Amino acid sequence: RAGYECENRGDLQGADAFYRRVPEGDPACADALYFLGRIAARDRRDEEAIALFQKAVEMCPAEALYLFALAEALNSARRMAEAVDVYRACLALLPECTAVRNNYAVKLIELGPGRGTLIADALRATRGVPDFHRTLSLHLVDINEPLRAVQQAAHAAWQPTWHERIDDVPAGPAL
């Protein structure tokens, strides 16, 4: 708790020092590793953050928060294939978590998708691109409810996410 309070006050050195004092056998050790990873990630020390998050995940493999932090760090380090695998593990624990789904790899976005034929053509044309479909999330920007139903029927396998405006699409890699 004291380390977290230091971190919230902006005293990252104090938080870092506190978290490093947590003994390895202590149940709070995984949390300390997670918080140390957050500090490293903020400082853009990606590889250090990844190592810390990996240790936290090893201690608590069912903790989705640790998995998500690891995936984000891998994504930041541009280790996309690994990030995708960790996002998938996180989705297995939290299938409805939009934060995970929206940060999961590359977003394929279509504005005003109508009946969804253009996006269907793009998906068909990219079938032969290695791992492209494995690292894809589909985002459709449309306000027409009847067409959304048509799009859902056409693209249900892709579990699309709809947005009212382009500004609502989460930041990240996109086509």
Side-chain angles (χ1 to χ4, degrees), residues 22 29 39 74 95 104 122 147:
V22 176
C29 183
I39 293 169
L74 288 163
Y104 174 64
L147 282 177

Side-chain angles (χ1 to χ4, degrees), residues 19 32 39 73 108 116-117 167:
Y19 295 138
I39 293 169
L108 183 58
T117 53
D167 293 340

Side-chain angles (χ1 to χ4, degrees), residues 8-24:
N8 281 340
R9 284 195 314 267
D11 178 12
L12 298 183
Q13 287 181 331
D16 187 280
F18 178 81
Y19 295 138
R20 291 191 189 279
R21 287 194 304 261
V22 176
E24 221 172 277

Side-chain angles (χ1 to χ4, degrees), residues 35-79:
F35 286 115
L36 284 168
R38 282 180 23 159
I39 293 169
R42 272 192 206 150
D43 291 343
R44 303 291 299 158
R45 298 186 323 256
D46 293 333
E47 295 305 319
E48 181 182 348
I50 290 166
L52 290 161
F53 292 139
Q54 283 175 327
K55 286 181 186 176
V57 168
E58 287 170 14
M59 294 180 80
C60 299
E63 180 56 61
L65 179 64
Y66 301 163
L67 283 166
F68 184 71
L70 175 58
E72 290 291 283
L74 288 163
N75 198 3
S76 179
R78 299 177 190 247
R79 292 167 54 179

Side-chain angles (χ1 to χ4, degrees), residues 44-126:
R44 303 291 299 158
R45 298 186 323 256
D46 293 333
E47 295 305 319
E48 181 182 348
I50 290 166
L52 290 161
F53 292 139
Q54 283 175 327
K55 286 181 186 176
V57 168
E58 287 170 14
M59 294 180 80
C60 299
E63 180 56 61
L65 179 64
Y66 301 163
L67 283 166
F68 184 71
L70 175 58
E72 290 291 283
L74 288 163
N75 198 3
S76 179
R78 299 177 190 247
R79 292 167 54 179
M80 292 303 293
E82 293 169 273
V84 167
D85 290 339
V86 178
Y87 279 127
R88 281 205 171 125
C90 196
L91 278 173
L93 294 172
L94 295 171
E96 299 303 315
C97 184
T98 56
V100 175
R101 287 193 72 224
N102 289 337
N103 287 295
Y104 174 64
V106 176
K107 293 164 201 61
L108 183 58
I109 304 169
E110 185 173 2
L111 307 177
R115 298 193 180 284
T117 53
L118 179 62
I119 207 87
D121 289 344
L123 292 168
R124 198 171 21 262
T126 56

